[in-house]
Amino acid sequence: MGSKWKKAKVALGLNLCMFVPRTLDDDFPPSTLVSERLSDAALLSPANWEKGSSRPTTPVSSFHGLRLSKSSSKSSKQTCAICLAKMKQGSGQAIFTAECSHSFHFHCIASNVKHGNQVCPVCRAKWKEIPLSGSSLDPIQGTVTPSPINWPQNDALMAVVHRLPLPHPRRDLNRRHIVPLYQASEPGIFDDDETLNHEHAISKRSTCSKSTEDINAVRAMEIKMYPEVSSARRSNTYSSFTVLVHLKATAAVAAAAKKQNLSRNQASLTPISQTPRAPVDLVTVLDISGSMAGTKLALLKRAMGFVIQNLGSNDRLSVIAFSSTARRLFPLCRMTDSGRQLALQAVNSLVASGGTNIAEGLRKGAKIMEDRKEKNPVANIILLSDGQDNYTVGGSGTDQPQPNYHLLLPTSVSGRDNSGFQIPVHAFGFGADHDASSMHSISEISGGTFSFIETEAVLQDAFAQCIGGLLSVVIQELQVAIECVHQDLSLVSLKAGSYPSRLMADGRKGFIDVGDLYADEERDFLVSVNVPATSSNETSLIKVKCVYKDPLTQETASLESDVVKIQRPEIAVEVVMSLEVDRQYNRLQAAEAMAQARTAAENGDLTGAVLILENCRKMLSETVSAKSHDRLCVALDAELKEMQERMASRHVYEASGRAYILSGLSSHSWQRATARGDSTDSSSLVQAYQTPSMAEMLTRSQAMLLGSPSGQRLLQPLLSYRSQPSPR
């Protein structure tokens, strides 16, 4: 089950490769590649970036098993193992020397200690004497180092660092300078978010708002409609005639073509990252419980480093870390160069310990979004956990037949308080021990997606695919109105998955609330109408109107479709089912089979669950789409087969089957890409709903090991293994 490349990536992840960000243009000989082993704290240090590079893009592997040379050992005494900058007495920076004889810049090690790390980042020895905060100690007077951005000096991220009069370098080389570190409590209201770049916003609006005609040209949607058949005998009545409503956000291609005056074919080759986009407010809620220790936490830090380096200077990020309790590492901060450095330092300081209190982590994440003074147009929360909540749902006194997962999500974020405020939570279940049911429920309630990170090594790819979408939102608050045209028609049903939909009492009109769309993202809805007999040659069925907000200009736009019609011949003629309609029928049938199989499996009937999936596969094989070798139909069959294999036994189902199915249901119900199994691998068939911007971000992630000649030399054996044909 899975390709050799997938298995090799698993092996690579378990080999505990550590990665140091560096630029794509930089390269160096293999001899210097692994000259020095880096500590966990230095894993993503911005001080390790090339001078002149605004952000890291390519990591270089540093393997644990290599011995250090004498020169590197000597240099380590003169280099701070956290920021990798040189340490020199008399340079104006306090130096802390631990009892294990390793030295660090005081402000670097103080940040580590403040976040709970009381072991040496170099030798992992547990310290007895650490630079603790203490209310009884008076700070040594000196000059305070200015904050890189205008944050309060008592923020949890920033240590107050003093420039101290250092001792004589010869008389007192080993003297320790311990400056008390004040860890202020979190503010009651999280309204300390960094100010938005208003000049950038005004510039974008002026560029995009030259005229209403310009807005419609640049921020266009595409509406197409397909009746299930093109003609129907006029004397017949149809109680459930299906029309497919197909929507596509074409903004990215249109904007690129307009901006560069390119043809449509040329525009399709333009990278999504070069097109204007709406800035994002992103809060990541990260599990750092004891089960995250070791490889998981290291890979989480690497994945967060990738997120940080790919956010723009107008995007804002805040990080919540939770275990038994939750804390905000820093407020919403713009990802400028200084913002990235501070974010990386905070993430690097994380230490795994304690239990799993998902509800508290989400509460603080939601509070950041609620209390912020200013708002970027796009806002999302990313939640990652590898365990089960043992405080709110699974804790003492909460025993109940069916856990109430609604308790994990604040009402303000879920929209259950009728305030109209809702922030999607994109949940990532990490490993075999996470609670897939709770993570899926959290995402479903909030309007987000659920991804299953089965293999630790693909965590970064999963994050990359997600932010590839979040950084390409081009349509917001989309509402689709469907209206009957013929006076005797009425709507029967709207098949919209997880999107809220409603029919008016008279059956003449219906609405679907879609919300945000990413660039080039598509949505398909099946509308059923009753078609009466008629004496005319054709029947007008329905028309569609889309109303949405442009996230860049914040202006409302609308788009109306043509009326969809069918021919009504007097004598029946042979007609063929529309391939487009049949394809969506198959998708809905497969999703329904997945849901039914999951119910059977939860009730202990794995044999029945496998049979449900098998019957669905047989049904799909007889459809028009299957006979036309439709790619979606092939992918659905591969996905159903994978689910069957993951129901081979109760143990397999509990370990991966449940999470895999729930992630698939999340993907199909929202028609949005999620990560599960090998879905982020370019060779995988299960890549439904992946947009060009997601694929571009995935390429960046997967190129990090292969982006330089050095990385290619290191991975040559793995690449050779991948190129071998798989046995059938």
Side-chain angles (χ1 to χ4, degrees), residues 15-18 34 37-38 40 61-67 298:
N15 278 340
L16 304 181
C17 296
M18 309 301 283
V34 289
R37 176 179 173 179
L38 298 176
D40 289 348
S61 180
S62 178
F63 295 93
H64 285 247
L66 299 176
R67 299 176 60 185

Side-chain angles (χ1 to χ4, degrees), residues 122-139:
V122 177
C123 66
R124 315 308 292 174
K126 189 171 182 179
W127 290 338
K128 295 179 181 178
E129 298 181 30
I130 54 177
L132 289 171
S133 61
S135 57
S136 62
L137 299 176
D138 295 325

